[in-house]
Amino acid sequence: MDKIKNEFNKHFSKWKITLPEENIQKRHQGSIFQAGWKINFIFGIKDDVEYLEFYAMHRMTNDRHIIIYDDGEKEHLECLETPIEYSSAIDERQREHNKHNRRVREQLSYKGLL
């Protein structure tokens, strides 16, 4: 779990955000609201390997959806796309954008990350 903690803390070091020690010890999901960030995170096990998955949002940058595995490896996952300008004649691009965001939002909600 040390590599997970170190990678997470390194990712947010610019904002002095660290993973709460109590959540790490108990492997409890949680949220961090700091320096304009809203970060929701969960712990899990995949193929006998522990991981931390988080979804981070900040209004000044793109969202981040990352899994950090116990060996420090990271996997970047899909994020919600930023809004696009609405037009009264919804074109295919807007439909695909909306479809993508609905699918990603459902996945994040199911995991407890939204």
Side-chain angles (χ1 to χ4, degrees):
M1 191 54 67
D2 286 340
K3 288 184 180 181
I4 291 174
K5 175 182 161 183
N6 291 340
E7 286 298 318
F8 179 92
N9 293 349
K10 185 168 68 172
H11 190 86
F12 291 103
S13 63
K14 179 179 178 179
W15 300 278
K16 297 181 175 81
I17 297 173
T18 58
L19 199 56
E21 196 62 41
E22 182 177 334
N23 293 81
I24 295 170
Q25 296 304 318
K26 296 179 180 180
R27 307 302 196 264
H28 280 175
Q29 71 181 43
S31 297
I32 299 169
F33 301 93
Q34 185 177 330
W37 285 99
K38 177 183 180 190
I39 306 166
N40 297 320
F41 58 89
I42 57 173
F43 295 90
I45 298 174
K46 179 179 177 182
D47 299 328
D48 295 325
V49 176
E50 282 192 292
Y51 68 85
L52 168 80
E53 182 174 352
F54 70 87
Y55 195 84
M57 297 166 273
H58 192 292
R59 68 180 184 86
M60 300 299 285
T61 189
N62 295 335
D63 292 1
R64 294 171 173 112
H65 185 193
I66 300 173
I67 294 178
I68 305 172
Y69 294 98
D70 204 25
D71 63 1
E73 289 294 316
K74 291 186 265 186
E75 180 180 354
H76 294 262
L77 304 173
E78 289 184 301
C79 295
L80 295 170
E81 294 176 351
T82 56
I84 59 175
E85 188 174 325
Y86 178 78
S87 141
S88 59
I90 296 178
D91 62 14
E92 187 61 27
R93 181 171 164 248
Q94 288 173 315
R95 276 196 277 291
E96 288 303 314
H97 176 271
N98 294 342
K99 182 179 173 182
H100 169 86
N101 277 354
R102 273 193 300 277
R103 182 177 50 76
V104 171
R105 183 171 275 115
E106 286 173 8
Q107 291 171 353
L108 293 170
S109 293
Y110 177 77
K111 293 177 179 181
L113 291 170
L114 256 190

